[in-house]
C-alpha cells in the first residue's frame, strides 16, 4: 500500500535571538499558531489532529505543554498529542496519524525557551543517567569529541567548520578560525546561537491540500532512524542513521534544490551533507539553520517549515528537510518535499 | 566533587543496586506579559484580569491566551477582592513549606466580576466552610506585599448570606 | 495597553532521584567500587564498556562479563577550558572517549592532562581512582596520561 499523499500547506515561526525575556510560552506561541492556521486557509475548528513538541527541562516548567494549549483554544475538546522532542518528530506523528485516513488535516507546533536555564546542564539530562549524566558533560564537550574525530579522519579542517559558520551566520572564515576555542576543537561560532522560539506547520492530505494551497509541499518520503546512545559505540564521523533515513525517504531519487538540515554545530552540517549525498550544487540552510538561531525543540520543525516554504513560494521544486535529536546526531528524521503532485 | 558521588545503596550481598542521581537545574523564569501586569497589580492591592474579545469571559489572573477561544486576551478589567467559594478541600496532611496549622481549608474562589476561579487559603473553621460561602481577601500590608499570590494572606468569610447555586455553577 | 516589563524570578528545579541500576550496570558499578572495570561480551564476541544491557546485534540480555584493563587508548578528545559545576575536574581538562585494553567500545570520561598540548588521539591513559568509592561512574576520578 502506498502512503497517502500528505503536504505541508503553511508555516509560521517566531525566533527570538538571543532570547525572549518578556513573553511566556503561550504569548510566544499564540501569534505563531494563529498565523500558520490563517495561512493554511483551513478553519481552526476543522483541523483533525493537533500535536506538539517541547521539553519541560528547557523552561523548567513541568507539564508546560498542557499550559501551552491555551494558545490553541482546546474547546470543544480536540484530538491532541505531544512528544517530548523537537516539533519535527511531532510532524512525523501527525503524518502517521493522517495515514489512518479518517482525518485530513493536522496542526503541528513547537515551542522552546532555551535561554531560561543553562543549556549545557539541561542537555546533560538527556544522557544515560548511570554512566554519563553524573559527569555532567555539556553539549559542546560532546560535540567537540565528534568534531575532533572528524578532523582526525583527515578530510576536513577547522577552516571548513568556520566556512559553514561564515555562510550561515556571517563573518569571514579566515578570521573566525583564528579565534580562541571554547571547547577545542570548537569555537563559539561552531555552536548554534541559543535562542527562544515557536513554530507551527499545517499538514493537509490529498484534495484538501490541493484546495487550500496553490503549491503544496508534498511529503514524498519520510523516515526516522536512531543509533546507539553511547558515543563510544558509534563511528562519530558518519551519520549512519541519517544515511539510512535519507535512502528510505528517497533523497537520491532526484535532484535536490535546497536542503534544510538541523545541524546544531558546524561540523555536523558536513557530516549530514555527506550522509545525504548532497553535492556542491545543493543550497544548504539558506535560512541560516540552527547555527543562526537555535531554539531547542523548534529548530527541527523550522527546518521542515523553511524547506516547505521554498516549495510553496515556487523557488524550489524538490527539497530535503532534516531534524536531529540526542547527543552527536543520535537520531535523525529525513523527509523529501516535492512540488510535483 | 560530582553531585552523584554520594554513597550508593548496598544490599546484603554487597551488589550495587541503586545510585543517587540528583538533578539540580537553575533557571531565570519570566512571568510573561499578562501575568506580570497582574502581579504588579497585586502589589498595589488591585486584582487585574483581562476580558476575551471573543467569548467575553474575564480571566483573573489573565493568561497569554483565552483557553477556550485560542486568541489573545483583550481589555484589562479590575475585579473585586470579594467572591464566592465554589469548591474546597480540607487539608489534613503535613508537607514541606506549609504555613497553615492543620486542618485548614484550601478553596477555589470566583471573584466578583471574574469568570474563572482563583485558588487560595480560606481562614475559617473547616466545619463551617461550605460551597457558595461569601469571602473577601485579607491583604498583607502594602509595604510588605510581594509580587505573588502571597500578597493576599488568605480569604475570610464576609458574613453575607451564601450566594445562590446558579450564580457560581458555571465556575466549578 | 502600555508595554509591561515582564517580571522575572530565579527558579530552581531539584529532584532527589534514586535509580535502580539493574543487574548489568549493578555489576559494572560494583566492580568500580572494588577497583575493577567490567564490560559485557556480545554473541559476536564484542566487549562493550560500559556494559550493554542487551546484545547490540541480537538484543539478547547480557549474561557474559569480561574484566578489561585499567588503561587504554584515547580515540577522540576535546578540551574543557572552563570546567562547569559537577564535571569531574575543577581545573581545565580533556573530555575523552577511551578504549580500555580488551574493550571494543570506548568510555566517556575526563583526562587530567594539564594542558591541551599533552593530549593526542591514540595516546595511552590510565585510571585514577577516587580515594573513597561508592559504586558510581564517579568512582573513576578521571584518567591520566600513562607516560607523563
Ligand atoms: Zn474566549
Amino acid at each position: 500500500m502506498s502512503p497517502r499523499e500528505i503536504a505541508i500547506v503553511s508555516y509560521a515561526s517566531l525566533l527570538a535571538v538571543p532570547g525572549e525575556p518578556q513573553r511566556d510560552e503561550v504569548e510566544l506561541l499564540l501569534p505563531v499558531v494563529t498565523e500558520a492556521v490563517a495561512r493554511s486557509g483551513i478553519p481552526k475548528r476543522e483541523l483533525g489532529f493537533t500535536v506538539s513538541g517541547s521539553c519541560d527541562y528547557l523552561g523548567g516548567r513541568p507539564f508546560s505543554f498542557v499550559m501551552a494549549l491555551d494558545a490553541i483554544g482546546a474547546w470543544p475538546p480536540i484530538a491532541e498529542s505531544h512528544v517530548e522532542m523537537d516539533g519535527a518528530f511531532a510532524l512525523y506523528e501527525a503524518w502517521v496519524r493522517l495515514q489512518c485516513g479518517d482525518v485530513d488535516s493536522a496542526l503541528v507546533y513547537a515551542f522552546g525557551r532555551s535561554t531560561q536555564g543553562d543549556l549545557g546542564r539541561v542537555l546533560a539530562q538527556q544522557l544515560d543517567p548511570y554512566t554519563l549524566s553524573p559527569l555532567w558533560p555539556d553539549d559542546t564537550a560532546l560535540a567537540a569529541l565528534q568534531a575532533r574525530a572528524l578532523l582526525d579522519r583527515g578530510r576536513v579542517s577547522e577552516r571548513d567548520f568556520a566556512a559553514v559558520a561564515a555562510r550561515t551566520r556571517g563573518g569571514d572564515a579566515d578570521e573566525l578560525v583564528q579565534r580562541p576555542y571554547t571547547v577545542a576543537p570548537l569555537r563559539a561560532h561552531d555552536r548554534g546561537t541559543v535562542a527562544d522560539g515557536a513554530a507551527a506547520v499545517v499538514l493537509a492530505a490529498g484534495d484538501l491540500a490541493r484546495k487550500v494551497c496553490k503549491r503544496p509541499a508534498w511529503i514524498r518520503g519520510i523516515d526516522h532512524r536512531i543509533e546507539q546512545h553511547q558515543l563510544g559505540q558509534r563511528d562519530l564521523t558518519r551519520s549512519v542513521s541519517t544515511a539510512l533515513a535519507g535512502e528510505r525517504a528517497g533523497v537520491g531519487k532526484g535532484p535536490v534544490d535546497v536542503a534544510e538540515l538541523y545541524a546544531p554545530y558546524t561540523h555536523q552540517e558536513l557530516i549530514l551533507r555527506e550522509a545525504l549525498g548532497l553535492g556542491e550544487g545543493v543550497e544548504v540552510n539558506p535560512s541560516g539553520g540552527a547555527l543562526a538561531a537555535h531554539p531547542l525543540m523548534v529548530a527541527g520543525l523550522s527546518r521542515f517549515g523553511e524547506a516547505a516554504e521554498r516549495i510553496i513560494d515556487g523557488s524550489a521544486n524538490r527539497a530535503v528537510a532534516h531534524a536531529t535529536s540526542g547527543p552527536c546526531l543520535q537520531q535523525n528524521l529525513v523527509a523529501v518535499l516535492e512540488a510535483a503532485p | 566533587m560530582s553531585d552523584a558521588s554520594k554513597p550508593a545503596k548496598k544490599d546484603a550481598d554487597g551488589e550495587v543496586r541503586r545510585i543517587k542521581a540528583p538533578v539540580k537545574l537553575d533557571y531565570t523564569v519570566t512571568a510573561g506579559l499578562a501575568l506580570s501586569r497582574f502581579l504588579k497589580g497585586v502589589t498595589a492591592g488591585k486584582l487585574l484580569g483581562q476580558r476575551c474579545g471573543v467569548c467575553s469571559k474575564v480571566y483573573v489572573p489573565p493568561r497569554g491566551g483565552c483557553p477556550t477561544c485560542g486568541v489573545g486576551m483583550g481589555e484589562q478589567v479590575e475585579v473585586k477582592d470579594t467572591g464566592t467559594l465554589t469548591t474546597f478541600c480540607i487539608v489534613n496532611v503535613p508537607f514541606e513549606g506549609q504555613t497553615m496549622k492543620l486542618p485548614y481549608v484550601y478553596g477555589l474562589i470566583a471573584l466578583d466580576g471574574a469568570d474563572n476561579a482563583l485558588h487560595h487559603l480560606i481562614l475559617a473553621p473547616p466545619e463551617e466552610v461550605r460551597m457558595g460561602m461569601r469571602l473577601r481577601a485579607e491583604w498583607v500590608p502594602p509595604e510588605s506585599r510581594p509580587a505573588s499570590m502571597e500578597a493576599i494572606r488568605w480569604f475570610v468569610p464576609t458574613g453575607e448570606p451564601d450566594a445562590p447555586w446558579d450564580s457560581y455553577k458555571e465556575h466549578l | 495597553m502600555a508595554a509591561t516589563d515582564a517580571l522575572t524570578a530565579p527558579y530552581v528545579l531539584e529532584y532527589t532521584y534514586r535509580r535502580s541500576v539493574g543487574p548489568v550496570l549493578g555489576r559494572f558499578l560494583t566492580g568500580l567500587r572494588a577497583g575493577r572495570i567490567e564490560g559485557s561480551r556480545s554473541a559476536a564476541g564484542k566487549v562493550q564498556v560500559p556494559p550493554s544491557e542487551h546484545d547490540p546485534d541480537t538484543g539478547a540480555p547480557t549474561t557474559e562479563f569480561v574484566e578489561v584493563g585499567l588503561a587504554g587508548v584515547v580515540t577522540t578528545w576535546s578540551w574543557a577550558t572552563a570546567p562547569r559545576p559537577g564535571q569531574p575536574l575543577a581545573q581545565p581538562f580533556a573530555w575523552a572517549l577511551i578504549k580500555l585494553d580488551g574493550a571494543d567500545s570506548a568510555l566517556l570520561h575526563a583526562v587530567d592532562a594539564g594542558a591541551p598540548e599533552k593530549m593526542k588521539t591514540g595516546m595511552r591513559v590510565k585510571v585514577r581512582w577516587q580515594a573513597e568509592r561508592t559504586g558510581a561512574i564517579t568512582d573513576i576520578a578521571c584518567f591520566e596520561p600513562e607516560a607523563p
Side-chain angles (χ1 to χ4, degrees):
Chain A
M1 194 186 81
S2 62
R4 200 177 178 209
E5 289 186 310
I6 311 286
I8 296 175
V9 296
S10 72
Y11 165 63
S13 73
L14 193 160
L15 301 178
V17 186
E20 168 55 56
Q22 299 273 328
R23 287 170 284 191
D24 66 11
E25 284 83 350
V26 173
E27 289 163 343
L28 264 179
L29 196 51
L30 195 136
V32 173
V33 167
T34 304
E35 186 185 340
V37 173
R39 281 191 185 175
S40 79
I42 303 171
K44 195 162 70 179
R45 299 267 179 268
E46 289 175 21
L47 291 166
F49 183 58
T50 297
V51 58
S52 63
S54 66
C55 174
D56 290 348
Y57 272 123
L58 281 185
R61 292 181 81 169
F63 301 97
S64 59
F65 64 93
V66 177
M67 289 176 271
L69 277 168
D70 278 9
I72 313 304
W75 189 263
I78 61 171
E80 188 262 353
S81 183
H82 174 259
V83 297
E84 192 77 3
M85 288 184 83
D86 187 285
F89 298 88
L91 181 145
Y92 189 37
E93 183 181 331
W95 183 86
V96 172
R97 178 66 187 83
L98 289 171
Q99 292 304 324
C100 297
D102 59 324
V103 292
D104 293 332
S105 59
L107 167 66
V108 183
Y109 64 89
F111 61 96
R113 310 285 319 265
S114 309
T115 66
Q116 295 205 136
D118 176 345
L119 194 57
R121 275 178 75 80
V122 168
L123 285 175
Q125 293 309 308
Q126 74 173 332
L127 303 172
D128 170 70
Y130 310 100
T131 62
L132 297 175
S133 292
L135 305 174
W136 289 95
D138 51 276
D139 56 306
T140 314
L142 299 183
L145 293 174
Q146 184 178 37
R148 170 91 55 201
L150 193 63
L151 293 170
D152 285 343
R153 208 180 77 182
R155 290 216 288 269
V156 297
S157 65
E158 292 174 28
R159 170 71 174 62
D160 295 324
F161 299 171
V164 172
R167 195 195 77 242
T168 50
R169 62 203 304 185
D172 173 62
D174 293 317
E175 188 271 319
L176 289 175
V177 78
Q178 301 299 324
R179 292 192 183 177
Y181 293 117
T182 45
V183 181
L186 296 179
R187 300 174 170 83
H189 60 253
D190 290 315
R191 185 194 196 214
T193 305
V194 177
D196 297 333
V201 155
V202 174
L203 297 181
D207 288 343
L208 178 63
R210 278 183 275 271
K211 191 182 111 189
V212 299
C213 187
K214 221 187 298 173
R215 265 174 72 92
W218 296 103
I219 300 172
R220 284 290 168 231
I222 185 165
D223 199 69
H224 173 206
R225 296 284 145 171
I226 186 166
E227 307 179 33
Q228 299 97 312
H229 179 70
Q230 290 282 352
L231 302 182
Q233 294 180 4
R234 294 194 242 152
D235 175 356
L236 294 175
T237 67
R238 288 178 177 81
S239 183
V240 179
S241 52
T242 302
L244 184 57
E247 189 190 315
R248 294 179 61 94
V251 172
K253 286 183 189 163
V256 176
D257 298 324
V258 61
E260 283 283 344
L261 310 179
Y262 181 5
Y265 289 89
T266 51
H267 69 275
Q268 293 177 343
E269 184 188 297
L270 304 177
I271 293 172
L272 292 170
R273 279 183 95 123
E274 182 183 289
L276 292 167
L278 302 176
E280 287 303 309
V282 179
E283 194 185 0
V284 173
N285 290 350
S287 65
L291 291 167
H294 188 201
L296 256 97
M297 305 299 128
V298 175
L301 184 60
S302 281
R303 304 284 69 72
F304 277 68
E306 293 288 344
E309 287 269 272
R310 300 293 302 271
I311 305 279
I312 293 169
D313 71 14
S315 60
N317 287 318
R318 197 161 184 272
V320 168
H322 161 269
T324 193
S325 182
C328 296
L329 305 174
Q330 188 193 356
Q331 46 187 312
N332 295 282
L333 172 68
V334 179
V336 172
L337 308 177
E338 286 180 10
Chain B
M1 191 189 278
S2 161
D3 289 341
S5 57
K6 309 230 172 72
K9 187 85 177 167
K10 279 198 264 179
D11 78 347
D13 61 39
E15 184 98 349
V16 175
R17 293 284 178 89
R18 290 203 295 177
I19 56 167
K20 286 187 174 178
V23 175
K24 181 173 179 288
L25 298 166
D26 293 288
Y27 300 89
T28 302
V29 293
T30 172
L33 295 170
L35 194 58
S36 293
R37 281 192 293 267
F38 171 81
L39 292 172
K40 286 177 184 176
V42 297
T43 61
K46 285 186 202 174
L47 292 167
L48 299 176
Q50 269 180 286
R51 189 188 303 279
C52 172
V54 176
C55 67
S56 299
K57 287 199 167 141
V58 172
Y59 284 95
V60 185
R63 317 159 72 117
C66 174
T68 55
C69 303
V71 298
M73 298 296 286
E75 175 200 9
Q76 185 161 300
V77 181
E78 185 176 346
V79 301
K80 300 224 172 81
D81 66 353
T82 53
T84 301
L85 185 67
T86 64
T87 185
F88 65 96
C89 63
I90 298 167
V91 181
N92 284 292
V93 277
F95 54 84
E96 205 183 308
Q98 214 163 35
T99 54
M100 303 283 279
K101 210 171 136 254
L102 295 177
Y104 66 90
V105 182
Y106 184 75
L108 280 174
I109 306 120
L111 295 170
D112 296 334
D115 288 292
N116 65 333
L118 192 82
H119 301 232
H120 220 298
L121 302 165
I122 316 296
L123 187 72
E127 62 279 8
E128 289 173 20
V129 173
R130 60 213 177 262
M131 289 166 74
M133 195 176 193
R134 295 285 300 157
L135 302 168
R136 68 171 167 80
E138 197 162 293
W139 293 86
V140 168
E143 60 281 6
S144 46
R145 253 178 233 154
S148 79
M149 286 317 293
E150 287 171 348
I152 294 173
R153 190 169 290 141
W154 42 53
F155 280 75
V156 294
T158 62
E160 297 165 85
D162 286 0
W165 162 252
D166 281 344
S167 71
Y168 65 88
K169 68 178 183 191
E170 297 294 325
H171 301 315
L172 294 177
Chain C
M1 205 165 295
T4 305
D5 282 327
L7 298 170
T8 60
Y11 177 68
V12 179
L13 195 65
E14 193 162 9
Y15 297 114
T16 53
Y17 291 131
R18 286 166 179 273
R19 289 183 173 275
S20 302
V21 296
V24 173
L25 286 162
R27 176 148 175 175
F28 174 67
L29 297 174
T30 305
L32 294 183
R33 194 178 60 199
R36 183 171 77 228
I37 301 180
E38 287 184 84
S40 57
R41 192 201 301 272
S42 72
K46 296 278 183 206
V47 176
Q48 312 272 1
V49 181
S52 295
E53 290 172 304
H54 296 270
D55 189 308
D57 302 313
T58 68
T62 291
T63 53
E64 209 187 330
F65 295 85
V66 185
E67 190 171 342
V68 297
L70 300 179
V73 170
V74 169
T75 63
T76 184
W77 60 279
S78 58
W79 188 259
T81 314
R84 301 156 70 99
Q87 295 185 344
L89 294 165
Q91 69 275 24
F93 68 93
W95 289 102
L97 290 175
I98 299 150
K99 195 178 277 190
L100 294 168
D101 297 336
D104 294 293
S105 74
L107 171 87
L108 177 79
H109 222 293
V111 178
D112 188 9
E117 293 71 32
K118 302 276 180 60
M119 290 299 301
K120 203 168 164 348
T121 301
M123 74 187 283
R124 289 193 56 82
V125 292
K126 62 180 183 198
V127 170
R128 182 193 296 164
W129 294 105
Q130 292 282 10
E132 201 181 311
R133 297 194 294 274
T134 61
I137 188 66
T138 45
D139 285 354
I140 299 174
C142 62
F143 285 75
E144 58 191 36
E146 210 169 53

